Amino acid sequence: MTVSRRTRASRAPLAPRPLEDLAAPRPVVASPDEAAAGATKALVLQGGGALGAYQAGVYEALFERHKDMDWVAGVSIGAINAALIAGNAPEHRVARLREFWNLVSSAPGQMLPGWAGERSWLNQWSAGSAVALGIPGFFEPRVTPALMMGAAAPMLSYYDTSPLKATLERLVDFDRINRREMRFSVGAVNVRTGNIVYFDNGTTTIRPEHIMASGALPPGFPPVHIDGEDYWDGGIVSNTPLQYVLDEHVRSRRLLVLQVDLFSARGTMPRTLGEVAARQKDIQYSSRTRMNTDALAANVNLQQALAALLERLPAHLRREPDVAALCAHLRSEPIDIVHLIYRHKPYELDSKDYEFSRITVDEHWESGARDMRITLQHPEWLRPTAQAGGVTTYDLSEPDVARVRHPGTAV
């Protein structure tokens, strides 16, 4: 088995402002649809537990307009959603996503109606039920006297995830994934080395264990043993596979990424201990994602500026093998990253990533579908401008607002 290894992204230096105008402009593209026509289209899904229903809603709305996708990559719950997408025929993908999310929200503790009480209380009841009894088709608690030993207990997790294996085997066609009709990548962390590893159907025969490894968040879930190594949730190192996609894509082809995140870096000042815990979790998982996105974009943009500078050398110097090889390595077709982020509700606390109530799952799904439809209704937000190469990011995390950062813009 061959896998690609990536370490944590470091903060890349920003492109110097004097280099902004070095690259020759490319023609303005008439529409986002035309810009996407020749691009590799990748869906990048972050981890976030029960919040992952938002990603399912995003895909449902996306599928209404754009049924073709070249690549889907995910971490943790994003890996499960990715498998449900890549492992089914296009006409069955939304139905399989719905079947999974209905299953994990079907326990009695998750089925209380909205009128049964105050919403934050209902959410906490659902989360408590998940902790005590597990989630159907996903995980169940280990019942053993060893738990009385506390931290000295000779066990590696509080829950057994064998129900998830059965669910994946029933809902995902792994033969389809391994036929490579769509590129598929999921990230996990090697327990012994601490390095993140990506299981990619271009180099690896994907099995349910690879998906389970990507979502094996300790100490709740056990490590997954694959080919002599043990793996935990990829979110321990990086909660988004964006870096892998940018590193591994074919640089001679334009890349269009839809990055769907589940934790928002922006938020209000907490007022209670519950809000403190929720805010801490948001910052922990989202700021790293945003930092990595900004750093990766700045790194690629700097490469484009350096390539443009090298192209201004005299012809006899450009023909030098080392210079030509460097230019070929630095230059890439444009990359566009469309960034959608789930916006949490006031009644959601730190349990929101393991709160699987049906009413909440449905809300998350509808939020994702609504945000994606709003984005598709405003093609002017995604209209390319006369920039040359580099990374353009479209931050669509706020309603009715689009923040666009073009190559050469300071992070």
Side-chain angles (χ1 to χ4, degrees):
M1 180 185 72
T2 303
V3 294
S4 298
R5 290 174 169 81
R6 292 289 182 273
T7 56
R8 188 189 306 271
S10 58
R11 186 75 176 180
L14 304 183
R17 296 301 294 260
L19 296 181
E20 292 175 20
D21 59 349
L22 289 175
R26 72 174 187 263
V28 175
V29 182
S31 71
D33 287 341
E34 291 181 10
T40 297
K41 294 177 282 296
L43 180 62
V44 172
L45 303 176
Q46 188 190 59
L51 299 173
Y54 176 83
Q55 296 171 340
V58 167
Y59 182 78
E60 178 185 48
L62 179 66
F63 186 76
E64 293 169 357
R65 286 275 302 273
H66 301 281
K67 293 179 170 53
D68 58 326
M69 188 66 60
D70 301 301
W71 192 352
V72 60
V75 167
S76 196
I77 196 66
I80 295 176
N81 283 330
L84 292 165
I85 292 170
N88 281 287
E91 64 271 19
H92 297 146
R93 290 170 184 166
V94 173
R96 291 293 180 268
L97 286 165
R98 181 66 77 177
E99 187 173 351
F100 172 80
W101 285 102
N102 282 347
L103 172 64
V104 298
S105 61
S106 65
Q110 277 69 53
M111 293 296 289
L112 291 178
W115 50 260
E118 194 269 330
R119 185 56 188 278
S120 61
W121 181 88
L122 292 176
N123 285 12
Q124 291 299 86
W125 175 270
S126 169
S129 174
V131 171
L133 303 174
I135 291 295
F138 200 159
F139 60 89
E140 56 190 17
R142 299 185 188 278
V143 182
T144 169
L147 289 171
M148 301 296 292
M149 301 175 64
M155 51 195 301
L156 298 180
S157 69
Y158 292 106
Y159 298 94
D160 175 15
T161 54
S162 56
L164 176 61
K165 185 173 188 291
T167 298
L168 291 171
E169 290 173 337
R170 181 170 62 86
L171 296 181
V172 176
D173 182 350
F174 286 90
D175 288 338
R176 174 179 286 271
I177 291 178
N178 292 313
R179 286 199 297 270
R180 305 177 190 174
E181 297 173 5
M182 174 189 296
R183 188 169 181 181
F184 175 84
S185 313
V186 294
V189 174
N190 186 302
V191 176
R192 292 176 178 81
T193 67
N195 291 332
I196 192 163
V197 173
Y198 283 93
F199 301 111
D200 191 298
N201 64 349
T203 55
T204 303
T205 299
I206 302 297
R207 308 191 304 271
E209 289 80 5
H210 296 104
I211 317 304
M212 296 171 67
S214 185
L217 184 64
F221 298 162
V224 178
H225 192 75
I226 301 173
D227 298 334
E229 295 290 345
D230 295 283
Y231 297 94
W232 272 332
D233 192 307
I236 296 174
V237 172
S238 177
N239 203 33
T240 175
L242 178 65
Q243 179 180 356
Y244 179 78
V245 170
L246 294 185
D247 286 349
E248 297 295 322
H249 84 285
V250 177
R251 296 171 68 92
S252 60
R253 188 177 179 188
R254 183 171 185 153
L255 177 66
L256 174 60
V257 177
L258 175 58
Q259 180 180 349
V260 187
D261 289 350
L262 302 176
F263 295 96
S264 176
R266 297 184 178 89
T268 59
M269 182 67 187
R271 297 165 298 174
T272 67
L273 288 176
E275 291 177 359
V276 167
R279 189 76 194 107
Q280 180 267 337
K281 188 173 288 186
D282 283 342
I283 294 171
Q284 176 182 352
Y285 289 111
S286 67
S287 60
R288 183 168 56 195
T289 297
R290 186 175 292 274
M291 180 193 73
N292 287 350
T293 301
D294 291 343
L296 291 166
N299 191 15
V300 173
N301 291 338
L302 178 57
Q303 292 179 33
Q304 300 307 295
L306 290 174
L309 180 62
L310 291 173
E311 288 172 0
R312 298 180 66 176
L313 293 173
H316 70 282
L317 292 178
R318 293 200 306 272
R319 287 193 293 269
E320 290 288 332
D322 291 345
V323 175
L326 182 59
C327 284
H329 176 75
L330 293 174
R331 176 62 71 190
S332 73
E333 286 299 301
I335 299 170
D336 297 288
I337 302 174
V338 179
H339 199 185
L340 284 178
I341 308 176
Y342 172 71
R343 300 183 298 278
H344 77 276
K345 310 297 191 299
Y347 46 77
E348 291 179 318
L349 300 177
D350 60 304
S351 60
K352 60 188 176 184
D353 55 336
Y354 57 93
E355 197 281 281
F356 287 87
S357 69
R358 178 63 58 83
I359 187 172
T360 297
V361 163
D362 288 347
E363 280 185 353
H364 291 160
W365 186 297
E366 291 305 316
S367 293
R370 181 186 63 247
D371 288 351
M372 191 71 251
R373 290 186 182 113
I374 290 173
T375 299
L376 294 172
Q377 289 168 5
H378 290 271
E380 70 277 5
W381 288 354
L382 307 179
R383 189 177 299 280
T385 56
Q387 301 289 330
V391 178
T392 300
T393 58
Y394 304 84
D395 186 348
L396 308 180
S397 58
E398 298 296 334
D400 302 321
V401 176
R403 287 181 292 274
V404 181
R405 181 178 294 134
H406 296 295
T409 302
V411 176

